[in-house]
Amino acid sequence: MTIKENISLLPFNTFRMDVKAKIFAEYSSVEELRQLLDMYRGGKILHIGSGSNLLFTKDYDGVVLHSAMRRARCTNEDSDHVWIEADNGLVMDELIEQLCDMGISGMENLSHIPGEVGASAVQNVGAYGVEAKDVIESVRAVSLENGEERVFTNAECRYGYRDSVFKNELRGQYIITHVVYRLNKHFEPKLEYGNLQCEVGDKPTPMSVREAVVRIRRQKLPEVSELGSAGSFFKNPIVPREVYEAIAAQYERVPHFEQDGGVKIPAAWLIEQCGWKGKMLGGAQCYEKQPLVLVNRNNAAPEDIVNLAAAICKGVKEKFGIEISPEVNYI
Ligand code: EPU
């Protein structure tokens, strides 16, 4: 394991906030994780993945933990499925690339999402009609309180839209160390979302779908290696039907998606109507190609991002009466 004191978290968050952590510790096995938990139990602990869905608002006065476990193994198979158990610190996109290369499908629509396996199972990341929960069979986690291991089935993870039990009732209580995915040997492409079908063309393979998803994402979303961001900053709100109808009566062609319990209106559309697309506040910008994304355009301080997000939420609330909420975690 490695333990460092008073280090900059700049390389560990994709928003590129230059804040410091009092302690940063990286472990290479579950045993080392347990030792770290024994050392720091009772204090402030934050476990990060690749820092691609969080906003550090100030220096972190506690212990930041990170996993250096980065392997994946096949644990079972039958005539239709393959079960892959991946370590929490493996970059999810690296796993997806290897799987697509082997013709194993189920995760190809999640290609190019920044982040590591453990965090993606907390956040239930999703894209192009697939969410992590659709392929997660179970997760293994370690209790912060006593270091004991517990397996959570998919149902026990209580997955929702960018949501799980680990963000709610069990927040701060478990560290996911492994994720078991159930994947397919026979390819059934899921191409219903947006223009994915057109981009893929005929005779799709897991790899050709992956490549199409990467192309679409590159056109719309900033590369975190070039421009700091945390992907979508807000969740897409699901509003009561009457709210949608009132808006549809006033605007031509409101994009919307029917959902259980309401209608989903893209936050990107709401934000654009409020005039925020491309606008800057300090060094923070509402991204010009996809206003759901906030970017660190010019050495943004944490408060620039916080203030821009608050101003956008206020604008959307005033114009449409809809509360949009961040999907990014403020630390
Ligand atoms: N739109 C606008 N103006 C724009 C861009 C988009 O009005 O400038 C509207 C359009 O009507 C468009 C709709 O927003 O049809 C939806 O846009 P898009 O397909 O790009 O998806 P999204 O709802 O903005 C969600 C996820 C993304 C995921 C994409 C594709 C959330 C919060 N975001 O975005 O996830 O990649 O769908 O599946 O659900 C992330 O979580 O970090 C992320 C990037």
Side-chain angles (χ1 to χ4, degrees):
M1 74 177 78
T2 54
I3 300 177
K4 292 178 184 156
E5 281 178 32
N6 205 25
I7 70 152
S8 168
L9 291 170
L10 189 68
F12 303 105
N13 74 99
T14 58
F15 249 130
R16 305 197 55 75
M17 293 295 120
D18 192 7
V19 296
K20 286 204 165 87
K22 196 167 156 203
I23 295 168
F24 181 87
E26 203 167 47
Y27 58 89
S28 304
S29 66
V30 172
E31 208 27 63
E32 286 188 1
L33 168 62
R34 288 206 179 94
Q35 287 169 21
L36 287 167
L37 293 177
D38 286 344
M39 284 164 69
Y40 297 117
R41 187 159 291 122
K44 245 174 103 176
I45 295 180
L46 171 73
H47 195 293
I48 61 165
S50 51
S52 54
N53 202 51
L54 48 77
L55 174 64
F56 285 113
T57 56
K58 53 181 180 302
D59 288 346
Y60 191 75
D61 179 28
V63 184
V64 174
L65 292 179
H66 186 243
S67 170
M69 306 196 298
R70 297 191 186 96
R71 299 224 174 106
R73 55 209 76 80
C74 174
T75 53
N76 198 2
E77 67 180 298
D78 64 17
S79 52
D80 298 326
H81 299 110
V82 183
W83 282 261
I84 302 286
E85 183 186 74
D87 294 346
N88 55 354
L90 179 60
V91 171
M92 190 175 74
D93 195 49
E94 286 175 14
L95 172 67
I96 298 174
E97 186 174 27
Q98 283 180 34
L99 293 168
C100 289
D101 220 16
M102 293 188 288
I104 296 172
S105 59
M107 295 180 80
E108 57 284 349
N109 293 33
L110 304 178
S111 292
H112 210 52
I113 295 180
E116 295 171 5
V117 158
S120 71
V122 172
Q123 174 70 358
N124 185 24
V125 298
Y128 307 102
V130 174
E131 289 182 315
K133 75 167 171 53
D134 302 332
V135 283
I136 291 175
E137 169 140 316
S138 61
V139 306
R140 274 164 61 194
V142 163
S143 157
L144 271 101
E145 199 188 343
N146 55 24
E148 277 174 21
E149 183 164 277
R150 175 170 162 194
V151 175
F152 292 80
T153 62
N154 179 302
E156 286 169 336
C157 294
R158 292 209 232 130
Y159 282 123
Y161 171 52
R162 300 292 193 275
D163 203 20
S164 73
V165 74
F166 307 106
K167 292 181 75 178
N168 294 293
E169 294 91 314
L170 297 183
R171 189 182 191 94
Q173 293 186 40
Y174 282 91
I175 291 165
I176 293 181
T177 55
H178 302 84
V179 178
V180 179
Y181 300 100
R182 192 185 76 152
L183 302 160
N184 307 315
K185 287 184 174 174
H186 310 292
F187 186 36
E188 284 177 25
K190 291 205 179 77
L191 305 175
E192 297 76 29
Y193 189 99
N195 59 346
L196 186 54
Q197 176 87 62
C198 307
E199 190 68 37
V200 171
D202 295 335
K203 303 220 179 102
T205 62
M207 192 52 102
S208 74
V209 173
R210 168 181 169 74
E211 285 165 357
V213 165
V214 173
R215 278 197 300 278
I216 298 173
R217 289 185 74 91
R218 285 215 164 110
Q219 283 159 22
K220 290 191 179 183
L221 298 168
E223 292 285 331
V224 287
S225 54
E226 288 158 20
L227 187 59
S229 89
S232 298
F233 196 91
F234 303 100
K235 293 189 198 179
N236 287 317
I238 297 172
V239 303
R241 171 149 284 285
E242 315 81 81
V243 172
Y244 160 70
E245 275 164 6
I247 297 172
Q250 281 187 50
Y251 293 82
E252 230 178 284
R253 277 201 296 275
V254 180
H256 64 284
F257 306 92
E258 301 292 334
Q259 304 281 305
D260 290 346
V263 180
K264 187 190 261 188
I265 305 183
W269 184 85
L270 297 166
I271 296 168
E272 188 170 357
Q273 299 309 309
C274 293
W276 277 106
K277 189 169 171 167
K279 288 264 170 70
M280 287 191 70
L281 216 155
Q285 186 192 23
C286 179
Y287 192 50
E288 70 277 6
K289 292 189 210 160
Q290 168 47 294
L292 191 56
V293 177
L294 304 188
V295 296
N296 177 355
R297 178 61 74 184
N298 190 10
N299 286 323
E303 30 317 346
D304 294 345
I305 312 269
V306 171
N307 292 342
L308 177 59
I312 290 173
C313 289
K314 187 163 173 266
V316 170
K317 174 83 182 159
E318 279 169 9
K319 196 170 174 77
F320 295 103
I322 296 175
E323 308 246 3
I324 56 170
S325 56
E327 73 140 316
V328 166
N329 295 311
Y330 287 46
I331 307 291

